């Protein structure tokens, strides 16, 4: 059936990405009863591994749905009706969080920059100065539809100094570069297993600060006895506490395997191969005469390379050509960036530098097939030269 | 690690239950990009298989969280603020749905029976006659914590005649016996892959009637752009429509495999082995001198056998003994039934009659170990005699 | 298809037996090029684990075919044309080895006992005294078609004292009880992953003494550049040496997982659950009024329980009834024991005591179905009583 | 551990090659007792699929070891002591078969050509004319260490006309191009699952003509009751016949999956992607300024591209550089071709044209890293141009 369905040969997207083989095998472990003592200990163990991987001081929360659940739940739980919220938008995802935030608060203000740019920490400081009553700030660290990174640690320091709470969406950056809840002063730090951890979609991981727990508990509208609840799960990682509802057992099995891969290889080694793959890819893009979407290379993500669609090229046809000629799937833009860029993901198992030669080859070949002459050979040479030097 | 964690040898619970080996292997398929054309066709195909398995006229909705998501979403989406809701409670789960329903409507009335009994359709008719303005009725078909089955088809006919909408929770009965959305006149029919289909927890399957779609669309408070939304997913099964957010790709892979197992074996054959396993198990329970929890054997579930805890026996210790002596995990009761009964699940891969000999052996042996003399041999003999005769 | 093919529910045989789930997942690891440096290190590592599990002083040989390859290769390699060989036969497999031995030597003598008996070490001493020129002795430790164990350590001591070489077939006992090459003074100790290690069939593991290596090297007829060669593989476990031909990569992946399971649980713990399962099973057999095949319970194998077929019962029909009524597959006898006994295997994943209740239930139920009244209840009670007491 | 072992990112070898994911999952199916009726039917079914895939008129033989077993067994079984054998050698493997043949016959003559050349059918005719008593001819269709193809069908026609028996080694060509037992007039046609079928190593598939069966049966020295026997397995594919010894159950599970992949995609489609991948790869090799090993491109294999090692380059260092810089594993030469060529495999899952960009990139990059300037960009451009045009 695979062939009748004409599955891709390579999935070089910014998520869902293919999982590590060890994760795919991990998913196949026996499904246990959630109240079985061995499963409860196993779950606690997985939570401990996640805590270690995330560099947390307290246990993370695992919610049983993909990261939009974590983001929606964070908004619903942390934001109280009378909170003033500052949303930082440098892309479609950052902007989108504002709509959720708006549902739960009366007063939302924003700092917004063009979607190929990054938030300037100085602008955050200014906005907070202008609206000192701001109680919550929300930031998308890696705005995936733009492939750009915001300076989370600097922004976090400003927010912390102000005394506001920070919600950080690090879904598609965590695990692929140095970023964590503590260094970014995040009160709710949202990520998931299906980006740079090379796991599968279906869970959210949340780092929640002690003061965020307190604020949520005081929030009468924070979801309880609900799929959207964070509070329900506060103690669920403990082997002697019940789960509020059935956890996604197989997803937990897969997460366990993904965390093992990450911790055994070592976070720094993982980050380094993400960085090198992206660097090689950007070198290739430029050498073949294309432009990066990011206004400046410093803000280009190490986990996704967004390539500006050349004038006169139909971006949908470009991806279709790469797919049909070479079996390579790229990500499109989303919303405002749709049609303006093509995204090459290098996350988890595809974050090996050699993958950049596939990406550049398929991208260049597809452009040529559409009649837009591109120097693919120069692109591949640049990729190889970059790898050769290591980072 | 498995052994250090002392995993059980047999999981004879009422969920999570172990999955079919074919499902565990299915989970290990490659993770695809959700916008890849092959994945979109594949997803549409899975939805078609689910439609066939569920006996629906229109496409089912697959929500990406375990069935509590489906139930909460059904309440949040179908019940409008001014609806009068009749909740039918014959157990902990049926009663529990009332709390969700109450969140969304101003006026809830209930028919409640003892938790070892089933709802009498005549009582439903009476309640509707008394409160003719009732717009929505909610029913738990198999109240799992009691192991009892309600007469969904008869109740559904009464509700349909009255013109009210019916929400049916068939999570732990669908796939293990004859029950479906159409025959039960359900407007929202909720089930999931991890009970009798032998899949894994992490998805909900919803059968939604055309008039339910209309009602939800008119409901301004029905969740939209939310994890709790049903509306967002109405067209998501179509290969030419986007997903509202990332689907749980691996869970879909597993569901595909579970549906293949179900459809290839044939629903009637699957139901028959569930029925025979349960019948053999009940025969064993009675022969060993124990009592069924169900007030009458006719209402005992073919997918779970609830055994009344003998006087003087500590139910928690009973399960712990079965677990430590034999590696057999049973389900406890929940809420009101906790401590009063032990549940033997026979769902999916454990719904083979021979499993009843394991259940009876472990139950009897554990009781004896606790000093409560039980005729386990007679129980096993009764199991075998029942299997021998087939059903 | 599984269902159309009507696969069994439980495989309680003496091999092939079902593998541990961790082994089945291990088989699914990526297939590597045999000359890749990582694979060569991995292979060396697997050999080290096997050495540890087998209690060897030097590296074991892994041959890439099921254990009959190891046995045939041992005969072909160690036995020189002018050797006098003493073959010890207490069953079909022991007897069978004599035919192979005969191919390679001019002079074979035997000690043979009835196939429900064990070799008496005193008889070995006598035979060696009578034929002091005997250079090689061959012994089947667990003659699987009889489910009986020979006193390998005592026999080995006698052979060692005599100065002869000992070939031991421990295929179906190693890993399920205390037995190894050193304690049995074996020069070639043959076993495999698909019995008590819960691996899959397709490899042989050989423990080869230093003097056996020397003898084989001197034997001009010992196979070289052949599938039957042991010599070809002497250094193949070293990461810096080539393989004589392509190793069965996936089988090695599976073996690695099986060895992990064995070493992590701990050999003594594994042996204990084999012993207890067998003890419980024998108690059940006797309590239900049947007889063990073994002449004395002391020589009954902890990994297989052979049950004498009651008079008037057609053994083939007995197994067919257990299979069709309960989905339980037992092993038949082989050759001389065919039709005279039924074998219940308890090896690897089925060596958990609770499995004995399944075996006794299915055996008793099948006998009853054939009209041979059997007290199955008493059998199960005896099983449970034995487990309860632990061993 | 994978990472500590530094596994390759891509295995672009000529075997063992990585298996299709569906095969890796197939390996994880439950291990059945070989005498279980369901397994016996399943095995018969697998044999039927293999028969279909191999285009045979009778059932194939499956031997339970990698293809060297099939080749050695063919020599041992078909060649009688008084047979005159003509061995055709165009490479290391063809030459090597002669040594096996020599073991079993008194009189062997050969046609040998340089190892970058193919056998000329006219030379075969001449040799047969010169030695008309020649009874058996042996041919290696794809001499893998050279990556060259012999004209098996033309040679087969000449051998058939002469009346001699033909043994064909099609291990690394079958399934990747049009070649089968009937069209090549082979009496024993040897192949295996781990090359172009994308299965795993551990089995051999043999097509045996009726007259070959007769000849083997008449040969008193043909192995019987041996791992090397073909005769033992003649009826083993029948569900009502016993296996001579335990089949490698998991390998059969994997083979079943590999045959499904092959038959579902369709042999011609599979051959076409092998051909296009190889064509693109050769175009790349030439465009980057390197030479093919094959004397003429017409005899270059569609399943392996052998690249002549440029003067002054250390071939071992070349492969080591590709492995360490890019994680790409290539095959070396063997024996006489070792150090003179590097082999890029495109078999099974790696026989997708886009893989040629990886191969060319890694090969060119590695050469550059060793100081041998190579136009990798031009190579990749040529690959893409070739793919673009399709074949």
């Amino acid at each position: 059936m695979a062939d009748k369905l004409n599955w891709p040969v390579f999935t070089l997207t910014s998520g869902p990405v293919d999982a590590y083989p060890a994760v795919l095998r991990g998913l196949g472990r026996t499904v246990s009863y959630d109240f079985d003592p061995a499963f409860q200990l196993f779950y606690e163990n997985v939570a401990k591994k996640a805590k270690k991987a995330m560099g947390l001081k307290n246990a993370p929360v695992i919610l049983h749905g993909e990261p939009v659940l974590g983001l929606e739940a964070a908004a619903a739980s942390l934001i109280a009706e009378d909170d003033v919220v500052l949303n930082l938008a440098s892309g479609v995802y950052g902007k989108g969080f504002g709509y959720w935030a708006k549902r739960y608060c009366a007063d939302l203000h924003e700092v917004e920059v063009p979607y190929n740019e990054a938030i300037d920490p100085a602008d955050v400081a200014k906005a907070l100065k202008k609206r000192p009553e701001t109680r919550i700030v929300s930031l998308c660290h890696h705005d995936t539809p733009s492939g750009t990174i915001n300076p989370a640690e600097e922004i976090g320091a400003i927010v912390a100094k102000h005394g506001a709470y920070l919600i950080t969406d690090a879904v598609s950056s965590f695990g692929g570069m140095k970023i964590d809840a503590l260094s970014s002063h995040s009160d709710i730090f949202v990520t998931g297993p299906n980006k740079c951890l090379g796991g599968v979609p279906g869970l959210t991981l949340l780092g929640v600060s002690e003061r965020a727990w307190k604020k949520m508990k005081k929030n009468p509208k924070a979801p309880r006895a609900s799929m959207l609840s964070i509070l329900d799960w506060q103690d669920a990682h403990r082997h002697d506490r019940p789960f509020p509802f059935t956890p996604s057992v197989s997803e937990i099995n897969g997460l366990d395997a993904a965390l093992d891969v990450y911790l055994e290889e070592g976070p720094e080694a993982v980050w380094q191969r993400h960085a090198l793959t992206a660097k090689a890819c950007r070198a290739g893009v430029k050498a073949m005469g294309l432009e990066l979407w990011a206004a400046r290379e410093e803000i280009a993500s190490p986990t996704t390379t967004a390539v500006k669609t050349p004038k006169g090229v139909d971006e949908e046809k470009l991806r279709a050509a790469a797919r049909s000629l070479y079996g390579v799937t790229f990500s499109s833009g989303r919303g405002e960036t749709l049609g303006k860029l093509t995204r090459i993901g290098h996350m988890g198992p595809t974050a090996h530098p050699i993958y950049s030669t596939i990406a550049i080859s398929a991208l260049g070949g597809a452009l040529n097939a559409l009649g837009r002459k591109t120097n693919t050979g120069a692109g591949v040479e640049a990729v190889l030269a970059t790898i050769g030097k290591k980072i």
Side-chain angles (χ1 to χ4, degrees), chain A:
Chain A
M1 189 164 78
D3 287 288
K4 303 291 170 195
L5 279 173
N6 187 26
W7 291 102
V9 180
F10 291 114
T11 295
L12 303 182
T13 60
S14 48
V17 298
D18 197 4
Y20 290 110
V23 171
L24 296 178
R25 289 194 304 274
L27 288 170
R29 289 185 211 151
T30 300
V31 173
S32 294
Y33 183 50
D34 52 353
F35 284 90
D36 186 89
F39 181 76
Q40 290 183 307
L41 275 170
F42 173 70
Y43 192 96
E44 183 171 305
N45 226 26
V46 174
K48 279 180 190 164
K49 288 183 193 178
K51 181 185 167 190
K52 187 178 173 189
M54 294 170 76
L56 295 172
K57 285 190 184 160
N58 57 0
V61 170
I62 304 171
L63 293 185
H64 295 261
E66 78 110 342
V68 301
L69 169 58
L71 292 166
E72 185 181 1
S77 300
L78 195 69
I79 303 175
E81 271 184 320
D82 55 356
D83 283 336
V84 175
V85 175
L86 167 60
N87 185 51
L88 307 174
S90 67
V92 175
Y93 283 180
K95 185 71 181 175
F97 188 82
Y99 301 117
W100 273 329
K102 198 69 196 288
R103 272 189 203 162
Y104 301 100
C105 73
D107 195 343
L108 178 107
H109 60 118
E110 288 193 314
V111 168
E112 189 169 356
V113 294
Y115 288 3
N116 63 344
E117 262 295 356
I119 303 288
D120 184 340
D123 290 344
V124 178
K126 257 183 265 174
L128 289 174
K129 198 168 177 188
K130 195 172 159 192
R131 300 287 312 270
E133 70 280 23
T134 300
R135 195 124 190 260
I136 292 179
V137 178
S138 49
L139 171 71
C140 182
H141 178 231
H142 173 207
D143 211 302
T144 333
S146 298
T148 48
I149 296 288
N150 282 308
E153 299 185 357
E154 294 169 56
I155 292 170
I158 291 165
V159 173
K161 200 175 162 194
H162 180 82
Y165 294 82
L166 178 63
I167 298 174
T168 302
D169 168 354
V171 173
S172 59
S173 54
F174 172 77
M177 63 185 293
K178 189 173 172 352
I179 181 69
D180 61 60
L182 298 186
S183 69
S184 63
H185 303 269
S186 301
D187 290 287
I188 299 191
F189 180 89
V190 182
T191 191
N194 180 245
K195 303 283 182 176
C196 306
L197 289 179
V200 302
L203 296 176
T204 321
L205 299 170
L206 301 181
V208 180
S209 72
E210 290 307 324
R211 63 177 202 149
W213 280 118
K214 278 182 204 146
K215 186 174 188 333
M216 291 192 289
K217 281 176 195 170
K218 278 190 204 154
N219 182 2
K221 298 233 168 158
R224 287 167 176 86
S226 168
M227 190 74 190
L228 284 182
S229 179
I230 296 174
L231 288 170
D232 291 357
W233 289 86
Q234 185 170 14
D235 293 327
H237 64 281
R238 289 181 48 172
H239 73 270
D240 54 356
R241 296 298 169 90
F243 298 104
F245 56 80
T246 301
S248 295
V249 177
S250 299
E251 302 280 346
I252 294 295
N253 286 336
L255 173 61
D256 181 60
L259 291 168
D260 280 346
V261 169
Y262 185 66
L263 294 171
E264 282 171 20
E265 182 173 355
E268 303 213 354
V270 176
W271 304 339
Q272 198 188 330
R273 61 176 168 80
H274 279 79
L276 182 56
T277 307
K279 190 182 175 189
C281 197
R282 291 193 303 268
V285 166
K286 292 182 294 180
M288 73 202 292
L290 299 176
E291 283 175 67
L292 298 172
W293 171 260
R296 290 158 291 132
E297 191 161 346
E298 308 89 81
I299 64 170
S301 167
T303 74
T304 294
T305 296
V307 183
K308 197 181 282 184
T309 307
K311 268 189 192 146
V313 170
D314 179 328
E315 200 272 335
E316 192 175 352
K317 285 187 185 160
L318 174 60
R319 279 181 295 106
R323 180 68 167 79
S324 69
L325 281 170
Y326 314 114
V328 173
T329 300
F330 293 122
S331 284
S332 62
R334 289 263 174 129
E336 188 139 325
T337 67
L338 183 66
K340 297 179 184 164
L341 57 81
T342 300
R343 287 181 292 158
I344 301 163
H346 8 85
M347 294 173 169
T350 60
H352 282 285
I354 187 68
Y355 275 93
S356 295
T357 65
I358 307 171
I360 295 302
S361 298
L363 187 64
L367 280 165
N368 282 328
L370 296 183
R372 208 284 194 180
K373 282 292 160 208
T374 308
N375 194 340
T376 314
V380 170
E381 297 264 14
V383 166
L384 295 170
T386 307
I387 298 174
K389 290 178 201 158
K390 298 274 169 172
I391 200 162

